[in-house]
Amino acid sequence: MVNTSSFNHRSSADDVLRDQNLGGQVIIVTGANTGIGYETARSLAAAGASVIATCRTAEKAAATKQRLMQRYPEGTVETAVMDLASLVSVSDFCTQLSHSKIDIVICNAGVVAPKYTETSEGFEQTVGVCHVGHFLLVKKLLPKILSAPAPRIIMVSSESHRTPSRLDFDALPYPRAKFRPMKAYGQAKLCNALMAVELHRRFADQGLTACYLHPGTMVTTEIGRDSALVRIVMRLARPFTKSANQGAATSVFCAIWDDCSELGGNYFSHSAKAKPSAETANTEAATRLWELSERWLREKGFDG
């Protein structure tokens, strides 16, 4: 059992997983080649989980596997190519996945697009990567996820889910004419939160637990890979913020915390339950987002 009272904003993923044995657990971590994603995958592998670490390119996947296997030569680690900016890539990953059951999916990958850019299928990139790609991933893997004894889906959201205060369906995905990088990011992170809420509402009776979290402020990450300004700000702030290992703590906490009744549909920060924005309780918005996301997939030829 996890002793929740012993963790705080300085706790690391290794602290949370100390003395844990995750043998037999199959866990997918998206965006696992760097930053929070890498530390999430690494710490879970160290605790004995069978980790599937997804990366955007074959080169990143190969380098990530080499790093992980050098650290844990006895571990069970797979890497796979999955570019969340391409629904074809997401679909191919799901089709090629040989595992019969998936215990946990940690939807970690994200991006802040500094200017208006589109994914392969024409979605604004920030919402396309953070939400649409993850939505297809979860939809296609749901049968394997629900076949696990106690399945979990963990959405790495952000405190940025509070801005905007309401999900603006007229600006979703963000239109080119109104594009603002951080507003698009806030919309995307609110989508992550509402997706977790709706997942839990729809599938809790089938044993699924879904939640969402804030990893920490300005932790080391590749989220600003397309923006020189974001990278500079993050470098300047780094000495005063969490390390990547600390940033991964809440993700792994949500993966192993025993109390599913407290976990499901809720928001976490610093390895503890936290208060989210009021919009996350808007069940109408959560359902509307789910139905809109399904429609987007159908229109692009992906039925999930």
Side-chain angles (χ1 to χ4, degrees), residues 122-169:
F123 297 103
E124 184 280 316
Q125 187 176 13
T126 304
V127 172
V129 169
C130 295
H131 172 65
V132 183
H134 278 131
F135 186 82
L136 177 61
L137 173 70
V138 168
K139 283 280 288 180
K140 286 190 74 69
L141 291 183
L142 262 177
K144 293 185 176 186
I145 295 167
L146 294 176
S147 70
R152 295 187 183 189
I153 296 173
I154 298 162
M155 304 299 303
V156 179
S157 181
S158 166
E159 277 291 283
S160 295
H161 84 276
R162 301 180 190 279
T163 307
S165 59
R166 301 289 300 272
L167 192 60
D168 185 355
F169 285 94

Side-chain angles (χ1 to χ4, degrees), residues 10 83 92 121 145 176 186 226 228 272 276 282:
R10 290 299 179 192
D83 183 355
D92 286 348
E121 286 76 25
I145 295 167
R176 184 188 297 268
D226 297 324
N282 185 343

Side-chain angles (χ1 to χ4, degrees), residues 55-251:
C55 309
R56 285 182 295 126
T57 68
E59 293 77 15
K60 291 180 184 296
T64 300
K65 178 149 190 182
Q66 183 178 23
R67 288 173 68 196
L68 289 171
M69 293 309 297
Q70 284 176 344
R71 296 285 300 273
Y72 309 107
E74 304 302 320
T76 305
V77 177
E78 301 174 40
T79 55
V81 177
M82 184 177 67
D83 183 355
L84 288 158
S86 165
L87 297 184
V88 171
S89 178
V90 175
S91 182
D92 286 348
F93 165 77
C94 295
T95 300
Q96 294 162 13
L97 195 64
S98 61
H99 295 267
S100 60
K101 62 102 175 174
I102 303 296
D103 295 279
I104 301 170
V105 179
I106 301 178
C107 296
N108 164 83
V111 68
V112 180
K115 60 183 180 180
Y116 184 87
T117 310
E118 294 183 351
T119 66
S120 298
E121 286 76 25
F123 297 103
E124 184 280 316
Q125 187 176 13
T126 304
V127 172
V129 169
C130 295
H131 172 65
V132 183
H134 278 131
F135 186 82
L136 177 61
L137 173 70
V138 168
K139 283 280 288 180
K140 286 190 74 69
L141 291 183
L142 262 177
K144 293 185 176 186
I145 295 167
L146 294 176
S147 70
R152 295 187 183 189
I153 296 173
I154 298 162
M155 304 299 303
V156 179
S157 181
S158 166
E159 277 291 283
S160 295
H161 84 276
R162 301 180 190 279
T163 307
S165 59
R166 301 289 300 272
L167 192 60
D168 185 355
F169 285 94
D170 293 330
L172 191 68
Y174 233 82
R176 184 188 297 268
K178 297 181 179 181
F179 183 77
R180 298 291 184 274
M182 295 313 297
K183 288 186 177 181
Y185 184 67
Q187 286 262 89
K189 295 291 101 177
L190 182 53
C191 286
N192 289 158
L194 290 172
M195 179 177 161
V197 169
E198 186 68 4
L199 271 166
H200 192 73
R201 186 188 72 81
R202 286 175 179 252
F203 301 105
D205 62 352
Q206 297 182 53
L208 178 69
T209 301
C211 64
Y212 56 109
L213 64 92
H214 172 55
T217 303
M218 303 297 278
V219 290
T220 305
T221 179
E222 210 180 49
I223 197 168
R225 61 181 177 267
D226 297 324
S227 171
L229 177 60
V230 172
R231 292 197 301 273
I232 291 168
V233 171
M234 294 183 82
R235 278 199 298 271
L236 292 173
R238 191 169 297 159
F240 310 101
T241 59
K242 288 187 176 185
S243 67
N245 190 256
Q246 290 170 327
T250 305
S251 294

